[in-house]
Amino acid sequence: MTIVGSSNYDAVRGRFGAFGGAFVAETLMPALRELEEAFEAAWRDPGFRAELDELLTHYVGRATPLFLAERISSKYGATIWLKREDLAHTGAHKVNNTLGQVLLAKRMGKERIIAETGAGQHGVATATACALLGLECEVFMGARDVERQAPNVQRMKLLGARVRAVDSGAATLKDAMNEALRDWVATVEHTHYCVGSAAGPKPYPWIVRQFQSVIGTEARAQMLERAGRLPDAIVACVGGGSNAIGLFAGFLADSDVRIFGVEAAGEGLSGKHAAPLCAGEVGVLHGAKSYVLQTSDGQIQEAHSISAGLDYPGVGPEHAYLKDSSRAEYLSVTDEEALAALQELTRLEGILPALESSHALAALPAIAKQLGPDSEILVCLSGRGDKDLNTVLDALGMS
Amino acid sequence: MNRIRSVFEKAASEGRSALIIYLCGGDPSAEDSVALIQAAFAAGADIVELGVPFSDPAADGPAIQLASERALAAGASLRSVLQIARDVRAESEGALLLFGYLNPLLAYGPAALSDIKAAGVDGLLVVDLPLEEASELREEAAQCELAWVPLVAPTTPAERADRIAKTATGFLYSVSMTGVTGGACESLGEAGARARKLSETSGVPVAVGFGVRTGGDARDLSQGGASGVVVGSAAVRAIAAENTTEARCAALGALVRELREGCEAN
């Protein structure tokens, strides 16, 4: 069955056009099927949706505001609207997905939740949902990230989660995901794997997109109410791509709305970066066919970005489809440009954005220039930057 | 007949299980791999599963992850693993099964399967390619006369296992337990019996792997009725503990002889 207006999603094959699928060990296939069926049933169930909506409203604080950022609007030369996911509980959009998945896991009778995390935001959001809903939580995190992101490690522990430092491979996010998959293969009967991005094998990209689509649904209604029209363009940062796909989902059918995804160019696309859509190739990683960073031999390469949340060599398959079909345009900005945008928003609007979200902000001058001064641009401010203070101060020589 | 299928017929006619040894290509070097594969055959292995190292082996436990890392650090790739196969084939008629993840095969390009066949490999097992995703590569393997070896797991429902078994042209690989390679399987006898049942209903040989370490484990599986016994992590660990090619071959040879005796203890 193909769902029209939904990135040509083939639910049976789990494909967005040529991308997606389920490239995993056989042991996991029955669990993925079970998850897919449980999700479809829950998503159709008004009771489940009401329970989730109740949490999103009174626990997360949704709807998150749409803020007209006047000072950067005059600076960048277009009207800039910020979708304030940084104001959601736990400080980022990640909680939209973890509450949905943990609620679903509970409904499925699972007792234990595992998750992978890079910067720790998804780990914190998962631990939060588990604390609230009373499930056991174990978070896999690369040993290098455990060191780099110590405050989030402490937060997860306070929330009652176990944090497992992963030493294998390069000891970063992709290795944490490998280790979570390995754990899940052995514990699949009573454990749910709460994937944090719109990536991974079928049905994860679809599930995460649906749980995150609240961003786009709200933002679209808010734009119509506040601006009296749809934006000319929407912009979001793309690592695995969950905040972006959540925003984009609300506007895919609006063909006049241009869609921009912004990847991390790190030290530049000719050097170390995390921009598989802009400078990678098609491959298979963590269960899905999409764009990846790889050697000519098909070995996955380490990504680099100053933003740990974008530091991933793959990307969700729906983004690969949106790129190839030209429905969305993908750009990249460097570490340095993201840092400058972070400072600019902080100084001009009094909002300290996450380094991830700063990538979307950094693309605004170029997009505004392209669209002209009368244009309205909606940006997903996916998270707040408190977690990045050390990184930012180090990079700016202020620590 | 494909070497892999003949191996199972011969083993069955001798009233024993076939012995399949996994080695990671290029661990710790290409030269070592060639010598180790020959040593495994000489000590009684019927099939060598030649692993293509991958940067993200999500279905493998620590022993094979480390083997993969050692091989990659030494510069291994699908290309160099195929050279290992050619070097082995120049001197041996032992059956070779290429074992790996999908991405290195895709990156190699459209000539991958014909080059694999031309290197003297007899069959293909792609661990992250379940039934729903496999048809394209499976058809290509058939055209190249490479035996196709799919996996079933303890979590696989019976009806699905039957459908998977129908696609096997080499043998069916039955995973003994829910977990990654190198874990512990508590009831190998049961896994052997499950394999026998699968083999009877499907008509294809069924080999059991994951968590098989010792001659005693091989005996339990063999007596349970498995057509074949697969040992990977234990073989890789035996090699990793030694410092010279000779010592590695000797350690592997000793393990393979022990396992072979287990396979014959019916």
Side-chain angles (χ1 to χ4, degrees), chain A residues 15 21-27 29-30 168-169 174 178-179 181-182 185-186 188 283-285 294 296-300, chain B residues 53-58 60 65 69 72 77 102-104 106-107 127-128 130 132-133 151 153 155-156 160 164 178-180:
Chain A
R15 298 287 176 130
F23 298 90
V24 294
E26 168 63 21
T27 310
M29 290 302 285
S168 60
K174 83 178 173 73
N178 289 333
E179 209 55 38
L181 283 166
R182 289 177 190 124
V185 168
V188 62
V284 170
L285 173 65
Q294 61 178 356
S296 57
D297 292 329
Q299 307 297 341
I300 305 304
Chain B
F54 181 48
S55 52
D56 293 78
D60 283 301
Q65 286 172 44
E69 284 176 22
L72 290 174
S77 64
L102 181 59
N103 202 52
L106 293 179
V127 68
D128 54 352
E132 287 76 2
E133 305 287 356
L151 291 149
T155 52
T156 310
R160 179 177 170 85
I164 294 171
T178 52
V180 292

Side-chain angles (χ1 to χ4, degrees), chain A residues 112 115 127 136-140 156-157 159-164:
Chain A
R112 176 173 172 262
E136 189 188 334
C137 179
E138 195 154 339
V139 178
F140 294 84
M156 286 185 266
K157 287 182 178 168
L159 287 160
R162 271 185 67 189
V163 178
R164 289 256 299 267

Side-chain angles (χ1 to χ4, degrees), chain A residues 39 44 75 78 93 111 117 155 185 246 259 306 338 377 385 387:
Chain A
F39 172 75
R44 278 193 307 267
K75 172 117 194 189
H93 71 288
E111 299 152 9
T117 197
R155 280 172 84 188
V185 168
I259 298 177
I306 190 170
I377 303 174
K387 70 183 176 62

